[in-house]
Amino acid sequence: MSPLATARDITTTPEGISWEPGARWVRGRKADVTVVDSRHPVLVWEPDRPVPLYAFPRAEVREDLLRPAKNPTLGKHTGSQIFYDLEVGGEIVENAAWVFPADDLADHIAFAWFRHGGTVLDHWYEEEEEIFIHPRDPHKRVDALPSSRHVSVEIDGTVVADTDRPVLLFETGLPVRYYIPREDVRLDLFTPTEHTSGCPYKGTATYWSWSGEGDVPPNVVWSYLAPLPAVAAVQGLIAFYNEAVDIVVDGERLDRPTTVFTQQLGR
């Protein structure tokens, strides 16, 4: 048995990169071409990035589809100086892959999944399940628990939601999110938007923006109409960014947290 199949030790390199071997079978496809087919992936965490990405042994990557990058995005990934463009079926994706500078990762190639500015590979799979946005973090939990707490939400003093039957979503590294039945939310005070977001733990969310006055960022409200099975309890319920509204739980007004979403909300 390969030691990578059972090892769980995390290694931190002098560059501040943390990595650990993974045991999942990971594949990445561009159109009908399999670019990555790996049974020995490595999960990599870069400094100041909240989610991991994968790097793969060179032997498990179609290196014949990679070209030295014409315009390498130096500085985008921790210390990386070697970038590759990907060419499949005449389509070229710039800076689709790179090599981390750490000696123990030098024989691995990493691929961009999100925040690339365009689609790199069209589909990623862990075993037979398609994974979106970024790899799941094995050290992170997401639990959706029905509750009888009393939760109310205010925007500029207006109560926009009030319930005794929320579902509390606990996600490692983030504040508790309070999902509220639609019947207990004043959705008439909000306007649907075309914005969507994806999460490998929860699925695809749709959004609403506040219709009233005040300093409220857009897309402050969201819902998962078809969540992934692990968080099925939040289906169709409404959640608010704690970072931008006032939430009162069992009579206690919560502080507005500072999170990875604070900057994008303009807080």
Side-chain angles (χ1 to χ4, degrees):
M1 179 181 293
S2 165
L4 294 187
T6 57
R8 294 295 294 169
D9 292 336
I10 296 179
T11 299
T12 300
T13 73
E15 297 82 7
I17 300 167
S18 296
W19 66 271
E20 72 173 20
R24 300 182 184 189
W25 176 25
V26 180
R27 286 158 292 154
R29 296 178 62 84
K30 182 71 172 175
D32 59 352
V33 176
T34 298
V35 178
V36 175
D37 189 337
S38 177
R39 287 172 170 79
H40 308 94
V42 171
L43 276 164
V44 181
W45 290 263
E46 294 187 74
D48 302 322
R49 295 202 177 202
V51 299
L53 52 83
Y54 275 122
F56 309 97
R58 289 179 178 272
E60 298 178 342
V61 173
R62 285 282 305 273
E63 285 196 85
D64 59 303
L65 302 176
L66 300 179
R67 315 279 184 262
K70 291 185 178 180
N71 302 293
T73 52
L74 301 180
K76 185 170 184 178
H77 294 283
T78 307
S80 297
Q81 300 292 319
I82 301 174
F83 285 81
Y84 298 102
D85 296 339
L86 172 68
E87 183 174 357
V88 177
E91 179 184 353
I92 296 176
V93 182
E94 293 189 348
N95 298 298
W98 66 93
V99 176
F100 284 110
D103 290 341
D104 42 4
L105 294 175
D107 291 330
H108 290 70
I109 296 176
F111 280 80
W113 282 37
F114 75 122
R115 294 184 180 176
H116 177 271
T119 301
V120 180
L121 300 190
D122 299 324
H123 302 281
W124 284 100
Y125 300 89
E126 292 178 346
E127 302 300 332
E128 297 301 328
E129 183 174 352
E130 187 167 6
I131 305 299
F132 303 95
I133 310 302
H134 61 78
R136 293 171 178 168
D137 189 329
H139 303 288
K140 186 171 188 175
R141 286 186 61 95
V142 180
D143 297 303
L145 304 180
S147 176
S148 59
R149 293 184 186 230
H150 179 233
V151 177
S152 64
V153 181
E154 300 176 8
I155 294 180
D156 278 349
T158 298
V159 176
V160 298
D162 190 271
T163 190
D164 289 309
R165 46 180 185 155
V167 171
L168 276 54
L169 191 134
F170 300 88
E171 184 170 353
T172 304
L174 290 175
V176 179
R177 300 300 190 190
Y178 299 90
Y179 283 78
I180 299 173
R182 288 176 180 239
E183 299 82 1
D184 298 337
V185 178
R186 290 286 309 277
L187 272 181
D188 59 303
L189 300 177
F190 299 86
T191 303
T193 74
E194 296 182 356
H195 180 66
T196 62
S197 68
C199 171
Y201 306 101
K202 298 186 288 292
T204 300
T206 57
Y207 287 78
W208 291 259
S209 288
W210 171 241
S211 299
E213 299 180 353
D215 180 23
V216 182
N219 303 308
V220 73
V221 178
W222 73 89
S223 180
Y224 289 95
L225 302 182
L228 296 177
V231 294
V234 305
Q235 182 174 4
L237 305 187
I238 304 296
F240 297 78
Y241 275 113
N242 311 41
E243 297 87 340
V245 302
D246 295 312
I247 297 179
V248 180
V249 179
D250 291 337
E252 179 182 354
R253 186 174 297 271
L254 305 183
D255 293 332
R256 293 189 183 184
T258 299
T259 72
V260 295
F261 299 104
T262 299
Q263 184 173 1
Q264 77 180 45
L265 289 167
R267 299 290 93 184

